[in-house]
Amino acid sequence: MQQTSGSSEHSRVPALDFLRLLAVGAVILYHYGFWGPASHGAPQVALPILGSIAQYGFLGVPVFFAISGFVIAYSAEGRTPLNFAIARFSRIYPTFVFCMTLTFVAIIAFGADHFEVTAQQWFANLFIAAPVLGQSYIDTSYWSLVIEVIFYAWVAVFMALGLYPRRIDEIIVVWIAITFANELTIDAPIFEKLFIADHSGFFVVGLLIYQYHRGRRDARLWALSALAMGTAVFQALHNQAHLGVLTGSSRDPIVVAAICVVSLCLVYLATRIKRIPISATIVMAAGGITYPLYLLHMQLGYVVLTALGPIHHVALATTATIVAIIALSVVVWRFFERPAHKVIRLKLTEFADKLGFASQQASATTRQQAAPSVAAPRVR
């Protein structure tokens, strides 16, 4: 989740930070216990003993999407479209480039036996959606970041058109209608990407949780929530079937549906918990490291494991690798991401103001009037 400019460090949804960390933990489990370095031609699968459980870890990613729906709804409240875009860019892009470059250098230095990377590939990855330029992702985990950016772009467009959040219900109905029209008919890849047709239900659940969070309780909200939840379950089942074809494995659809429903309910419950008995510093770190940890955990970890050569104690080596990447993520968050975010956001805002664009967000009074019934959460 992304930090909102102008929000205080102590005003936050602490349980949501830990839920994000739990979600990235599920993804790490999936990549090391099921997918593994062996999928890249490396000599070992990291934690095959956990495969039966780890195979469901892919559902951690759509949980991120649901959380993003909530976070972006709050982040957009009271902002101009330009200020919203600046906040998203300064939060997402610098850390992405830094972590992507770290992975690129690690592959060149230590991954030659099993991984290949080129300068052209690095350059294409600077645009995040590297496949559009005919290159593969340096880390295949980046695919979900492309989905996030598309979602941000749609929100910014609707803000600029004056439709968001004023027409949120209509936007949701049309979005879900397009989703099912594509999924049940032509299943065109271009529509799938452009309208996030494989994950729209999760984003919508997050958007509606925010509506509830700020005090809405009407019947239409409940109807839309049921529709969004059903869409999310449908998409989770559709995605697991697709993964089954790719990996030659099968997952219990009942388990997939149950994990999906429980996870989305946990997102809702996390937004209702205002305080937890844990230090604010720890809560902030838990939420803060999630983004660099997601960007670094897979490909960089695979490079480290394969560079070690034949391993007798694979579980120990894998645990040590994951701990090292967590430590690296803390360093990236503390000494790069936070200062870079602040500096770049400030510079871009100043530049936009010099050009005469209205980039400043609405005043605190305006934001409080927009959501008078809730304490403004600090979201990352």
Side-chain angles (χ1 to χ4, degrees), residues 91-108:
R91 172 63 178 85
I92 290 291
Y93 191 68
T95 302
F96 167 75
V97 171
F98 186 80
C99 292
M100 184 269 290
T101 302
L102 279 180
T103 303
F104 171 76
V105 172
I107 294 172
I108 291 177

Side-chain angles (χ1 to χ4, degrees), residues 169-182:
D169 290 359
E170 290 87 342
I171 291 172
I172 287 173
V173 170
V174 171
W175 192 6
I176 292 179
I178 291 174
T179 292
F180 280 104
N182 183 68

Side-chain angles (χ1 to χ4, degrees), residues 1-9 11 71-72 74-92 159 338 340-350 353 359-365 367 376-380:
M1 289 164 53
Q2 286 70 46
Q3 179 178 343
T4 59
S5 62
S7 62
S8 64
E9 292 295 321
S11 180
V71 171
I72 296 308
Y74 176 76
S75 181
E77 191 84 64
R79 292 182 187 270
T80 67
L82 180 57
N83 184 257
F84 171 80
I86 288 173
R88 295 307 95 219
F89 177 86
S90 60
R91 172 63 178 85
I92 290 291
M159 290 174 67
R338 294 181 70 190
H341 174 211
K342 293 177 181 178
V343 170
I344 293 176
R345 186 183 64 205
L346 177 62
K347 295 299 182 182
L348 288 176
T349 300
E350 290 176 348
D353 289 342
S359 64
Q360 295 299 322
Q361 72 180 58
S363 67
T365 300
R367 289 175 68 87
R378 186 247 188 203
V379 287
R380 287 187 55 81

Side-chain angles (χ1 to χ4, degrees), residues 173-220:
V173 170
V174 171
W175 192 6
I176 292 179
I178 291 174
T179 292
F180 280 104
N182 183 68
E183 293 297 302
L184 299 178
T185 55
I186 59 175
D187 199 18
I190 182 64
F191 284 98
E192 176 187 310
K193 297 294 187 296
L194 183 61
F195 297 107
I196 322 178
D198 278 348
H199 303 94
S200 56
F202 294 92
F203 286 106
V204 170
V205 167
L207 291 170
L208 292 171
I209 289 175
Y210 181 71
Q211 290 286 306
Y212 184 91
H213 189 71
R214 67 190 299 266
R216 183 178 172 185
R217 299 291 188 274
D218 59 90
R220 184 183 293 181

Side-chain angles (χ1 to χ4, degrees), residues 82-370:
L82 180 57
N83 184 257
F84 171 80
I86 288 173
R88 295 307 95 219
F89 177 86
S90 60
R91 172 63 178 85
I92 290 291
Y93 191 68
T95 302
F96 167 75
V97 171
F98 186 80
C99 292
M100 184 269 290
T101 302
L102 279 180
T103 303
F104 171 76
V105 172
I107 294 172
I108 291 177
F110 307 109
D113 291 340
H114 297 284
F115 307 103
E116 295 181 358
V117 70
T118 65
Q120 292 86 351
Q121 189 180 0
W122 175 84
F123 178 77
N125 274 260
L126 289 176
F127 296 88
I128 301 181
V132 174
L133 299 179
Q135 297 288 335
S136 60
Y137 297 117
I138 286 179
D139 185 320
T140 53
S141 295
Y142 298 165
W143 72 268
S144 64
L145 186 58
V146 176
I147 299 297
E148 292 271 4
V149 171
I150 293 172
F151 175 61
Y152 301 162
W154 276 115
V155 172
V157 167
F158 286 130
M159 290 174 67
L161 294 174
L163 300 176
Y164 182 84
R166 186 169 55 89
R167 296 292 186 182
I168 181 65
D169 290 359
E170 290 87 342
I171 291 172
I172 287 173
V173 170
V174 171
W175 192 6
I176 292 179
I178 291 174
T179 292
F180 280 104
N182 183 68
E183 293 297 302
L184 299 178
T185 55
I186 59 175
D187 199 18
I190 182 64
F191 284 98
E192 176 187 310
K193 297 294 187 296
L194 183 61
F195 297 107
I196 322 178
D198 278 348
H199 303 94
S200 56
F202 294 92
F203 286 106
V204 170
V205 167
L207 291 170
L208 292 171
I209 289 175
Y210 181 71
Q211 290 286 306
Y212 184 91
H213 189 71
R214 67 190 299 266
R216 183 178 172 185
R217 299 291 188 274
D218 59 90
R220 184 183 293 181
L221 176 68
W222 306 121
L224 288 174
S225 297
L227 177 62
M229 183 71 79
T231 302
V233 171
F234 168 81
Q235 290 170 327
L237 294 172
H238 178 81
N239 290 334
Q240 72 89 16
H242 178 66
L243 283 174
V245 173
L246 291 177
T247 61
S249 62
S250 61
R251 299 169 179 81
D252 188 335
I254 295 177
V255 174
V256 171
I259 293 174
C260 179
V261 172
V262 170
S263 297
L264 294 177
C265 288
L266 287 176
V267 175
Y268 162 75
L269 291 175
T271 66
R272 308 306 298 167
I273 299 173
K274 294 182 170 53
R275 290 184 179 85
I276 57 177
I278 298 177
S279 164
T281 300
I282 295 176
V283 172
M284 187 183 303
I289 69 170
T290 305
Y291 182 45
L293 179 58
Y294 182 81
L295 292 174
L296 293 170
H297 80 275
M298 193 183 87
Q299 192 65 46
L300 183 60
Y302 289 178
V303 168
V304 172
L305 281 177
T306 55
L308 295 176
I311 302 171
H312 296 294
H313 301 287
V314 176
L316 181 60
T318 301
T319 301
T321 298
I322 293 172
V323 169
I325 292 176
I326 291 173
L328 176 60
S329 300
V330 172
V331 173
V332 172
W333 167 69
R334 179 66 181 84
F335 297 103
F336 178 81
E337 180 183 340
R338 294 181 70 190
H341 174 211
K342 293 177 181 178
V343 170
I344 293 176
R345 186 183 64 205
L346 177 62
K347 295 299 182 182
L348 288 176
T349 300
E350 290 176 348
F351 180 69
D353 289 342
K354 287 180 181 179
L355 294 178
F357 295 105
S359 64
Q360 295 299 322
Q361 72 180 58
S363 67
T365 300
T366 301
R367 289 175 68 87
Q368 290 171 1
Q369 289 174 346

